[in-house]
Amino acid sequence: MAIIHLENITKLYRTKEVETLALENVNLQIKKGEFISVMGPSGCGKSTLLNIMGLLDLPSEGRVKINNIETTYMKDGEMAEFRNRTLGFVFQSFHLINSLNVLDNVELPLLYRKSNEKNRREAAKEVLEKVNLSHRMKHFPSQLSGGQCQRVAIARAIIGKPQILLADEPTGNLDSKMGAEIMDLLFQLNEEGTTIVMVTHDEHIAEKTQRTIRFFDGRRIE
C-alpha cells in the first residue's frame, strides 16, 4: 500500500507580472519502507514536490494522501499536528538555531507535542547517541563541522519517530567523506522501517536507493 499518494498534482506560482508552472499533472505513489531518490536539473520542481509531500505547501490542483488520509483540505492546525507526528525533514542548509545548543535544537519538535522536559531530554539524548553525537550535546552549531550539523538535523528530524523522512539535498553542502557518513545513517534509518524521499543531484547516491524518480520542467519523465 502506498504511504504517499500524489494524484494529478499541479503547482502554479502567480505574481502580477508572471506565472510559473512548477509542477504539472504529477502522479506518484511511494510504498511504505521505500527509499526513493528524486532527480532532475535545477528549477525542475524537485523541492516543490518535496514541500507538497511534506505539507509545507499546497498544490494548485490535485490531491495528496499520506497513510491513506486525505490531507488536501485539512485546516492549518490539523495539518501542522499531522505533519509533526508523521513527517521528518532534513534540509541542505541544516536550519539549526544558532542560539540553541545541540540538545535544545534536537528537542524542538517535541515542544510542539507538549511533551514534558524529562521525556524531551531523554528522547533527545537517545537520538543523539544514535547519530554518534552524544558527546556534543552541549555545543552550539557554530562549534560543529558541516557533517556534525547535518547529523544534528537528522536527530531533530527523527526524534518524533516519523514514518516518513523527506530530505532535500542532505549531502549537498558536505565533502564526500561526510556525505558518505550521512548516507550510511539514512540507509540505517530506512532499514529500521522509515520511508525516505530524498532530492539529490548525485547519480552515485541515487543508484544506491531503491528507485529514482526523474523530473524535467515540472513533469515526471521516469
Side-chain angles (χ1 to χ4, degrees):
M1 187 181 75
I3 193 170
I4 301 174
H5 182 96
L6 305 184
E7 183 179 330
N8 301 324
I9 297 296
T10 293
K11 181 63 180 180
L12 186 66
Y13 293 102
R14 290 187 177 94
T15 66
K16 290 182 179 179
E17 293 81 21
V18 66
E19 289 186 348
T20 303
L21 186 62
L23 294 172
E24 183 178 5
N25 196 34
V26 173
N27 292 280
L28 180 60
Q29 294 190 44
I30 297 171
K31 295 177 183 178
K32 184 176 181 180
E34 279 196 291
F35 193 154
I36 303 297
S37 293
V38 180
M39 298 195 74
S42 296
C44 73
K46 303 185 302 296
S47 293
T48 300
L49 179 80
L50 216 62
N51 287 339
I52 288 174
M53 281 185 189
L55 311 181
L56 297 173
D57 200 358
L58 295 173
S60 303
E61 298 176 16
R63 302 168 67 194
V64 179
K65 288 185 178 181
I66 308 289
N67 265 345
N68 210 32
I69 296 171
E70 177 73 59
T71 66
T72 312
Y73 306 108
M74 282 182 176
K75 295 179 180 178
D76 289 347
E78 185 182 7
M79 187 175 288
E81 182 177 353
F82 182 82
R83 186 169 55 233
N84 179 266
R85 293 189 176 275
T86 310
L87 302 160
F89 300 88
V90 180
F91 303 96
Q92 179 177 354
S93 52
F94 318 137
H95 290 337
L96 301 178
I97 298 175
N98 290 327
S99 60
L100 298 180
N101 66 28
V102 164
L103 191 66
D104 290 336
N105 264 285
V106 172
E107 280 185 14
L108 278 176
L110 297 188
L111 284 173
Y112 297 102
R113 297 191 188 183
K114 299 179 181 178
S115 176
N116 66 50
E117 182 178 358
K118 181 175 182 287
N119 289 340
R120 290 199 311 269
R121 292 276 146 150
E122 287 178 356
K125 289 176 181 178
E126 182 180 330
V127 292
L128 282 169
E129 186 171 343
K130 188 181 188 72
V131 301
N132 296 318
L133 276 181
S134 55
H135 61 297
R136 293 283 196 166
M137 66 178 65
K138 294 300 183 181
H139 288 72
F140 290 83
S142 61
Q143 298 172 303
L144 305 179
S145 69
Q148 288 171 334
C149 283
Q150 192 60 288
R151 280 190 275 160
V152 174
I154 291 173
R156 181 185 58 190
I158 65 174
I159 191 172
K161 299 181 179 178
Q163 298 175 56
I164 300 165
L165 190 65
L166 303 174
D168 196 353
E169 294 281 0
T171 63
N173 283 336
L174 308 177
D175 61 34
S176 59
K177 181 177 181 296
M178 289 293 186
E181 290 180 5
I182 294 304
M183 288 308 304
D184 286 345
L185 180 55
L186 293 179
F187 283 120
Q188 178 187 340
L189 292 169
N190 179 243
E191 287 174 4
E192 293 169 358
T194 306
T195 303
I196 301 179
V197 183
M198 176 183 67
V199 168
T200 182
H201 280 103
D202 192 324
E203 289 279 359
H204 297 294
I205 287 175
E207 287 173 359
K208 296 177 182 178
T209 62
Q210 296 167 15
R211 187 157 56 111
T212 300
I213 309 296
R214 298 182 187 273
F215 279 80
F216 187 77
D217 286 350
R219 297 187 185 94
R220 182 178 170 186
I221 59 171
E222 181 194 31

